[in-house]
Amino acid sequence: MASTYNNPEYPYRRSPDQNATEPVHHAVVIVGGGPAGLAAAMDLALHGVDSVVLDDNNTVSIGSRAICIAKRTLEICDRYGCAQPMIDKGVIWKHGRVYFGEEQIYEFDLLPEQHHKIPAFINLQQYYFEEYMVNRCMEIPQIDLRWLHKVSEVSTDANRTEIVVETQEGPYRLSCDYLLVADGANSPIRESLGLESKGQIFEDRFLIADIVMEADFPAERRFWFNAPFHPNQSTLLHKQADNVWRIDFQLGWDADPEEEKKIENIRPRVEAMLGKEQKWELEWASVYTFRCRKMDSYIHNRVIFMGDAAHQVSPFGARGANGALQGVENLCWKLAALLDGRAPTSLLFTYDTERQHGARENILHSTRATDFMTPKNSMTCVFRDAVLGLARDYPFARSLVNSGRLSVPCTYEETPLNTLDSDHFADRMRPGSACADAPVRSNKGDEWLLERLGNSFTVLFYGELAASAQQPLNDAVMNLAREGHRIGTLRVRPRGEEARNEHEVVDCEGVLAQRYDLQPGTTYLIRPDQHVCARWRKLAPDAVVQAVQRALGQHLAQEQVA
């Protein structure tokens, strides 16, 4: 097989914790050095929380695995300081085409509007994605990353968790306030605690063939139903970094996984698609089955599950790793607020409620895509083919075609942390929405809105506030800051004006006002994970304090006491 990547090997290092006679205590221990675990360590560090990351291996992903990295994931990684090498290395794309047989039935653009810092998607092999995350973690002093340290035992109760860690020098014990578990879809820790991930296995198999070739195919998503080179089955083509091309071939449930991974069986499929004259080499192959499942609760005493350990979806739609990082950013600001004494325990449990919603949404989209791609009987096959036949000429039919609804930011619309609208707004940036980016200009030069929002609560307002609101807002922010809350203000000035201080930006292209439906005096409260939690046309004196308290779950603690 060809190889375009050499896996780094990270050294085992003895920790001083291994010299202790009693378990050394840490606030947070993270199990798993994959995307979710590494992201959690970086996110917690942004909030000033130290963590220990334990991984039983000493390298990054073997094989390309997840390759489609969504805009929202890259925006999260941009906060962590590791997005740019991903974008530089990855294949940027936003365009896709869908075929039925030989005929293109429609095409789509995932980011038709301008003025975004981050592209709609990049294709980047998971090993690069993880490597850049590891590199960033190694730069952050709050992260203690330990390779070849395997968690073998976990005991937990309502107050703390203890673990046994196996190493080449023998075992040692740790205790922690919270154990974050990101040890994969088959999570040994989940199993050892007697917990389940429940769901559905779809009776179909798909072959991934990553091939290395020089080709001038466009960098876009190309999906075939009933491909002429792969009759009665679907096929997907994506370009990755290093001239590696991902081909997914639908195989059917009766396919033998071990036989299908052999080069002598892969070669005829690829040659039928590309032609015998096209030169290529196989880099990696895998056969997988769709699984959609999740835990009933991601929190078990002081153990919190993340990523595939908590929920698993089929690959079509790129909702696995992308959903995992949305879950991490949801969890970590809440955990930091709890550890700092700024929020009650009830806030932490909203990670479960909000991300259960996110998982249900991802599983629903994945299930529908799988049902459409692999009809279960003759009638659903007739329906599917009729939709595909109509999609070329009729837009209504295109909305029914499902080759995998691609990952988008989750909107926490029904969370108890939102302050409901009392004024009329456009629907786009309603409470619960992930913030949209926009170019802005500060007194330092050109910037982007998401860079300025950072990872604290932000009160964003447009133009001038009424005199009756400005001083109460200043007092509220100062009082909240004195209480230890991380909060700031950001005034947005209209296009054509100038930013007068470090707490102001100018809507230099006019798109921020459009995306957020801003009018003079419009005010937003943004959570530390850059989701909207409140907005007002006219700011009342106590509104910000009440909305921050609600976003921190104070009312939930009061309801529990009552």
Side-chain angles (χ1 to χ4, degrees):
M1 287 189 180
S3 178
T4 60
Y5 182 78
N6 293 319
N7 275 68
E9 291 189 5
Y10 304 112
Y12 164 82
R13 289 191 176 92
R14 183 178 179 85
S15 166
D17 292 351
Q18 293 169 253
N19 301 326
T21 56
E22 296 293 328
V24 177
H25 188 79
H26 296 272
V28 178
V29 174
I30 300 168
V31 183
L38 297 170
M42 290 186 285
D43 209 308
L44 288 169
L46 288 177
H47 296 282
V49 178
D50 295 355
S51 65
V52 175
V53 182
L54 305 173
D55 193 271
D56 61 0
N57 208 330
N58 68 338
T59 189
V60 294
S61 166
I62 304 297
S64 62
R65 301 179 67 182
I67 66 167
C68 293
I69 306 175
K71 182 176 188 291
R72 181 62 185 173
T73 300
L74 292 167
E75 290 170 345
I76 295 169
C77 288
D78 203 32
R79 293 212 302 276
Y80 301 160
C82 58
Q84 196 57 53
M86 297 173 181
I87 295 170
D88 292 342
K89 184 66 177 179
V91 175
I92 295 172
W93 68 277
K94 64 171 186 169
H95 193 260
R97 301 177 188 273
V98 178
Y99 300 84
F100 183 33
E102 297 181 349
E103 187 175 20
Q104 178 179 312
I105 56 175
Y106 75 94
E107 58 187 276
F108 57 85
D109 186 337
L110 295 171
L111 192 64
E113 61 185 18
Q114 296 180 336
H115 304 300
H116 288 269
K117 178 183 179 181
I118 302 295
F121 272 89
I122 65 169
N123 284 348
L124 183 68
Q125 295 90 317
Q126 186 170 325
Y127 43 71
Y128 280 123
F129 185 62
E130 292 182 15
E131 180 184 340
Y132 299 145
M133 296 180 90
V134 170
N135 292 346
R136 180 62 182 136
C137 284
M138 289 179 172
E139 297 172 345
I140 301 174
Q142 291 95 338
I143 300 173
D144 181 355
L145 185 51
R146 304 180 188 176
W147 302 102
L148 299 172
H149 288 244
K150 179 181 180 180
V151 176
S152 59
E153 294 181 32
V154 176
S155 60
T156 183
D157 58 29
N159 298 311
R160 71 175 192 169
T161 294
E162 287 197 8
I163 62 175
V164 175
V165 185
E166 302 286 345
T167 74
Q168 62 196 37
E169 297 181 303
Y172 67 102
R173 303 183 71 88
L174 294 176
S175 66
C176 57
D177 294 322
Y178 289 95
L179 183 73
L180 309 189
V181 178
D183 60 349
N186 296 319
S187 176
I189 291 178
R190 186 185 65 217
E191 183 178 352
S192 73
L193 293 174
L195 305 174
E196 292 184 272
S197 188
K198 304 173 185 175
Q200 182 178 2
I201 299 175
F202 293 89
E203 293 187 353
D204 207 339
R205 302 188 196 279
F206 286 77
L207 167 70
I208 291 176
D210 278 359
I211 64 173
V212 183
M213 68 174 177
E214 297 281 349
D216 58 0
F217 303 137
E220 60 188 18
R221 185 181 198 263
R222 302 173 75 187
F223 190 97
W224 287 263
F225 289 98
N226 192 16
F229 47 82
H230 191 46
N232 302 315
Q233 306 279 28
S234 63
T235 308
L236 176 66
L237 178 67
H238 267 294
K239 184 180 182 180
Q240 306 172 63
D242 300 330
N243 287 319
V244 178
W245 295 79
R246 161 71 58 84
I247 309 176
D248 283 70
F249 291 106
Q250 185 182 7
L251 299 176
W253 184 240
D254 295 332
D256 183 330
E258 295 306 314
E259 286 296 314
E260 294 293 346
K261 287 191 290 185
K262 293 179 179 178
I263 183 63
E264 59 265 31
N265 293 320
I266 293 174
R267 184 168 295 280
R269 297 189 188 281
V270 176
E271 289 181 346
M273 180 180 186
L274 303 177
K276 292 187 177 182
E277 69 282 357
Q278 177 67 53
K279 295 181 179 180
W280 56 272
E281 292 183 85
L282 181 67
E283 179 171 77
W284 182 67
S286 179
V287 173
Y288 63 89
T289 300
F290 282 176
R291 296 175 186 267
C292 289
R293 57 184 183 176
K294 67 177 184 64
M295 299 176 68
D296 290 336
S297 175
Y298 305 146
I299 301 176
H300 177 69
N301 290 329
R302 293 297 186 101
V303 178
I304 304 173
F305 291 87
M306 309 181 300
D308 283 352
H311 42 70
Q312 188 181 9
V313 294
S314 62
F316 286 98
R319 293 174 175 269
N322 291 305
L325 262 70
Q326 289 188 44
V328 166
E329 70 157 2
N330 184 289
L331 168 64
C332 288
W333 75 270
K334 298 172 181 178
L335 182 56
L338 173 60
L339 291 170
D340 287 349
R342 295 181 286 113
T345 305
S346 52
L347 176 65
L348 188 60
F349 285 93
T350 66
Y351 160 69
D352 192 56
T353 55
E354 290 183 349
R355 291 313 302 170
Q356 288 282 348
H357 164 71
R360 286 192 296 270
E361 185 177 88
N362 286 333
I363 288 172
L364 176 63
H365 284 296
S366 290
T367 300
R368 286 176 173 172
T370 304
D371 287 342
F372 191 85
M373 291 162 55
T374 60
K376 300 302 181 288
N377 54 54
S378 59
M379 288 305 298
T380 56
C381 186
V382 168
F383 169 77
R384 196 274 308 268
D385 290 351
V387 168
L388 293 172
L390 292 168
R392 184 192 65 181
D393 299 317
Y394 299 99
F396 84 89
R398 294 171 200 158
S399 66
L400 300 175
V401 176
N402 196 335
S403 62
R405 302 280 190 254
L406 288 156
S407 176
V408 296
C410 183
T411 299
Y412 306 122
E413 197 163 10
E414 297 182 3
T415 175
L417 305 185
N418 287 344
T419 298
L420 300 181
D421 284 342
S422 57
D423 304 308
H424 178 72
F425 280 89
D427 188 54
R428 179 171 182 178
M429 293 304 303
R430 62 191 184 276
S433 301
C435 288
D437 207 0
V440 296
R441 184 169 297 126
S442 71
N443 56 5
K444 297 180 180 179
D446 291 339
E447 296 183 285
W448 293 90
L449 176 65
L450 296 188
E451 296 171 346
R452 294 301 306 266
L453 294 180
N455 59 297
S456 62
F457 281 102
T458 302
V459 182
L460 179 149
F461 59 96
Y462 188 63
E464 304 291 338
L465 292 179
S468 59
Q470 184 65 68
Q471 191 56 49
L473 172 60
N474 295 341
D475 293 342
V477 169
M478 289 181 62
N479 290 335
L480 287 165
R482 288 193 194 101
E483 294 171 3
H485 300 295
R486 302 174 68 174
I487 185 168
T489 62
L490 186 65
R491 182 198 300 270
V492 179
R493 291 194 173 276
R495 185 177 186 179
E497 296 190 9
E498 295 293 329
R500 301 174 186 174
N501 57 57
E502 63 180 343
H503 301 293
E504 296 186 354
V505 294
V506 176
D507 182 13
C508 54
E509 298 293 339
V511 298
L512 196 157
Q514 182 268 324
R515 288 173 184 167
Y516 286 74
D517 189 18
L518 297 179
Q519 302 171 9
T522 297
T523 304
Y524 278 76
L525 179 65
I526 312 299
R527 295 184 347 182
D529 59 355
Q530 298 187 352
H531 280 252
V532 174
C533 57
R535 57 183 180 174
W536 306 270
R537 287 295 186 202
K538 184 177 180 181
L539 187 64
D542 297 330
V544 168
V545 171
Q546 292 172 0
V548 169
Q549 290 174 340
R550 186 171 189 85
L552 288 168
Q554 301 288 359
H555 64 296
L556 301 176
Q558 294 167 3
E559 290 170 3
Q560 288 176 352
V561 172

